[in-house]
Amino acid sequence: MSATQLAVLARTVEPQRMLRRFLALDAAVTGANALAYLALAGPLGRLLGVDSGLLLGLGAFLAVYAAGVTLLAARPYPPTAGVRIVVEANLAWTAVSLAALALWLTPTTAGAVWTVLQALTVAGFAVVQHLALKARQPNQD
């Protein structure tokens, strides 16, 4: 992905603003997912073919994670270490989601599609966050 493509996605050419926007978007999507899992664990569990207890646990984890990413995005200059943790956590989520699908989950077709789509979305967040972090000036860390 080129810097121009990244800037178009972020709707800014300022690396700092770009990074904060990608973090904020990640937090918003993660928070929405958390709320859905917490509020609708039963119906979503049946639709996706996943235990509602698992969705409740994931919802609680995602709520805390979204809050942390929100705090990071709200900082005028998110620290590099914090952003790297988010990028690595997003990559880990992607890997664990795909491994769970392959190794132990037995979801419905909708659940399998959802798992792959959310894993790809989270991987996409990791990529754009990493690229936005790289676009910052090295002397600003």
Side-chain angles (χ1 to χ4, degrees):
M1 179 175 285
S2 74
T4 303
Q5 292 170 317
L6 197 60
V8 168
L9 280 176
R11 297 181 162 223
T12 182
V13 294
E14 297 175 42
Q16 191 56 35
R17 186 172 292 179
M18 189 182 307
L19 178 58
R20 291 178 67 214
R21 285 184 179 173
F22 289 137
L23 289 168
L25 180 60
D26 185 354
V29 170
T30 301
N33 230 17
L35 291 175
Y37 289 173
L38 290 169
L40 303 169
L44 282 176
R46 288 187 292 280
L47 173 68
L48 302 175
V50 177
D51 182 69
S52 62
L54 174 62
L55 291 180
L56 285 171
L58 289 174
F61 170 79
L62 291 175
V64 172
Y65 182 77
V69 177
T70 297
L71 291 174
L72 196 59
R75 296 193 55 181
Y77 193 84
T80 298
V83 177
R84 284 187 181 142
I85 289 169
V86 169
V87 169
E88 291 171 11
N90 282 342
L91 292 174
W93 178 273
T94 299
V96 170
S97 294
L98 296 175
L101 183 60
L103 300 174
W104 66 82
L105 291 178
T106 53
T108 62
T109 300
V113 169
W114 173 253
T115 302
V116 171
L117 288 177
Q118 63 82 28
L120 292 174
T121 300
V122 173
F125 284 141
V127 169
V128 296
Q129 289 160 351
H130 171 74
L131 292 173
L133 184 62
K134 280 181 56 175
R136 288 198 319 197
Q137 301 300 324
N139 60 354
Q140 293 179 337
D141 288 337

